[in-house]
Amino acid sequence: MNNVILIGFMGSGKTTVGLRLSYRLRRAVIDTDKEIEKEEKRAISDIFATDGEVYFRDRETACLKKLLESTNNQIISVGGGLPLREENRKLLHELGQVFYLNASAETIYERVKHDTTRPLLQGDDPKAKIRTMLAERDDCYRQAADVVIGVDGKDFEQILCEIEQHVS
Ligand code: S3P
């Protein structure tokens, strides 16, 4: 299938890049977190608090399977943890061309430090948590990606141009 898929750590800019890319390429945009919140009729923080992370991860896999049946020529931004499952990485490849928005822990921390909606980043030392999680996840992101786009120090215009150059 011919979708453009954006993956990367929380705060790497997937949602914003997805919206702007949608406008530029005149393709509809879908965000897996928003799809899941719509289906579940509750916020992700509530899903984590009530049913736990494994339940949420299962919802992500189900969401990808549904998109495979219904979505083509669109932009899809996905939750930061979705590519961690091997099954999901395969589904992402089937869905289209995968772009990894690669940001440093410092960039991510600056963007998410006031955020209270991401359950995995709450706690005493979010900066250390970001560093650890990013190091653990980077390999999975690279395995899932067709193209890696470094985003540190770039404005959205630059990031969009780089992605557009690779969209096939
Ligand atoms: C998560 C990222 C979040 C959301 C959930 C878990 C993660 O999405 O899916 O809070 O494990 O990285 P964003 O990357 O859009 O913040």
Side-chain angles (χ1 to χ4, degrees), residues 101-166:
L101 302 188
N102 176 230
S104 66
E106 288 66 34
T107 298
I108 289 164
Y109 177 70
E110 284 309 312
R111 292 196 189 159
V112 302
K113 62 185 175 189
H114 301 304
D115 185 286
T116 55
T117 65
R118 291 173 167 111
L120 295 176
L121 295 185
Q122 307 312 307
D124 289 344
D125 192 352
K127 206 174 199 168
K129 199 156 184 199
I130 291 167
R131 251 191 227 114
T132 309
M133 287 175 73
L134 191 57
E136 285 166 358
R137 290 178 169 195
D138 184 66
D139 195 45
C140 279
Y141 291 146
R142 287 177 192 276
Q143 280 176 35
D146 296 302
V147 182
V148 180
I149 305 280
V151 301
D152 288 341
K154 292 180 189 163
D155 60 26
F156 281 110
E157 189 56 32
Q158 282 172 286
I159 296 166
L160 292 173
C161 282
E162 278 186 43
I163 294 175
E164 271 184 305
Q165 282 165 12
H166 286 94

Side-chain angles (χ1 to χ4, degrees), residues 15-168:
T15 305
T16 310
V17 169
L19 287 169
R20 294 192 185 205
L21 204 55
S22 153
Y23 183 74
R24 291 263 283 253
L25 300 178
R26 300 189 190 284
R27 298 194 196 189
V29 65
I30 286 182
D31 182 273
T32 57
D33 284 344
K34 293 202 185 93
E35 289 300 303
I36 292 168
E37 287 185 325
K38 238 192 283 169
E39 280 168 14
E40 293 273 322
K41 297 187 181 63
R42 52 189 174 147
I44 285 171
S45 49
D46 292 334
I47 301 175
F48 267 73
T50 312
D51 293 299
E53 184 171 348
V54 174
Y55 177 86
F56 175 72
R57 298 298 173 204
D58 289 341
R59 303 305 310 145
E60 289 188 313
T61 302
C63 180
L64 284 184
K65 287 182 177 163
K66 199 168 156 195
L67 291 178
L68 258 179
E69 283 165 17
S70 57
T71 311
N72 202 7
N73 297 314
Q74 299 200 8
I75 316 284
I76 304 172
S77 55
V78 310
L82 184 145
L84 303 182
R85 273 193 188 178
E86 194 184 349
E87 179 183 10
N88 292 354
R89 294 199 289 276
K90 283 196 191 122
L91 292 167
L92 288 173
H93 276 304
E94 286 175 44
L95 267 170
Q97 202 181 5
V98 183
F99 290 81
Y100 168 25
L101 302 188
N102 176 230
S104 66
E106 288 66 34
T107 298
I108 289 164
Y109 177 70
E110 284 309 312
R111 292 196 189 159
V112 302
K113 62 185 175 189
H114 301 304
D115 185 286
T116 55
T117 65
R118 291 173 167 111
L120 295 176
L121 295 185
Q122 307 312 307
D124 289 344
D125 192 352
K127 206 174 199 168
K129 199 156 184 199
I130 291 167
R131 251 191 227 114
T132 309
M133 287 175 73
L134 191 57
E136 285 166 358
R137 290 178 169 195
D138 184 66
D139 195 45
C140 279
Y141 291 146
R142 287 177 192 276
Q143 280 176 35
D146 296 302
V147 182
V148 180
I149 305 280
V151 301
D152 288 341
K154 292 180 189 163
D155 60 26
F156 281 110
E157 189 56 32
Q158 282 172 286
I159 296 166
L160 292 173
C161 282
E162 278 186 43
I163 294 175
E164 271 184 305
Q165 282 165 12
H166 286 94
V167 169
S168 47

